[in-house]
């Protein structure tokens, strides 16, 4: 499974960004997909995830601001980032969990200016 992220970039605080993660295979049977963030000098942390059943999970820091969704027809997972804050600045990595194996994308940089 290959994952390619896009949509990162620079945003002002209070603005919005949408990240996309395109998979090289059908995501219908992929158990879970989601996004991690890794800020400067920090460990990688889960931001949001979504299962095949559509169950979502969010980090407390992004609840009410970010939304994860998946389009099975396009083999793509999205992360809608709203009301972004400078502390959201990080490299965002897409992941896919399939048959007990985790696959990672290359990451996309998100920078939020105050």
């Amino acid at each position: 499974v290959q994952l390619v992220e896009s949509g990162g970039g620079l945003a002002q605080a209070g603005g919005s960004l949408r990240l996309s993660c395109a998979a090289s295979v059908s995501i219908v049977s992929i158990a879970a997909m989601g996004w991690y963030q890794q800020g400067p000098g920090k460990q990688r942390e889960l931001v949001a995830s979504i299962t095949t059943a559509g169950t979502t999970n969010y980090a407390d820091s992004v609840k009410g601001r970010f939304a994860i969704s998946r389009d099975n027809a396009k083999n793509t997972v999205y992360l809608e980032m709203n009301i972004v804050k400078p502390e959201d600045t990080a490299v965002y990595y897409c992941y896919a969990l399939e048959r007990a194996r985790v696959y990672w994308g290359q990451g996309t940089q998100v920078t939020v200016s105050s």
Side-chain angles (χ1 to χ4, degrees):
V1 179
Q2 293 183 326
L3 303 171
V4 179
E5 301 105 332
S6 61
L10 179 64
Q12 289 189 331
S16 298
L17 285 171
R18 188 174 81 156
L19 306 184
S20 299
C21 173
S24 60
V25 299
S26 171
I27 66 172
V28 171
S29 60
I30 293 181
M33 297 184 70
W35 297 88
Y36 274 72
Q37 66 177 193
Q38 187 166 18
K42 297 182 179 181
Q43 291 187 333
R44 198 172 292 190
E45 298 178 336
L46 179 66
V47 176
S49 63
I50 186 167
T51 68
T52 51
T55 301
T56 58
N57 183 49
Y58 296 95
D60 288 342
S61 60
V62 306
K63 283 181 181 177
R65 299 189 298 121
F66 291 10
I68 189 170
S69 61
R70 59 194 289 167
D71 185 335
N72 291 340
K74 295 183 178 180
N75 297 325
T76 300
V77 172
Y78 303 98
L79 183 68
E80 192 75 36
M81 306 170 65
N82 298 310
I83 318 175
V84 294
K85 304 176 181 180
E87 49 264 44
D88 294 327
T89 295
V91 178
Y92 284 74
Y93 295 91
C94 176
Y95 80 94
L97 174 64
E98 185 191 40
R99 299 179 184 177
R101 181 172 176 179
V102 180
Y103 299 85
W104 294 96
Q106 81 286 354
T108 185
Q109 176 70 47
V110 170
T111 302
V112 181
S113 62
S114 57

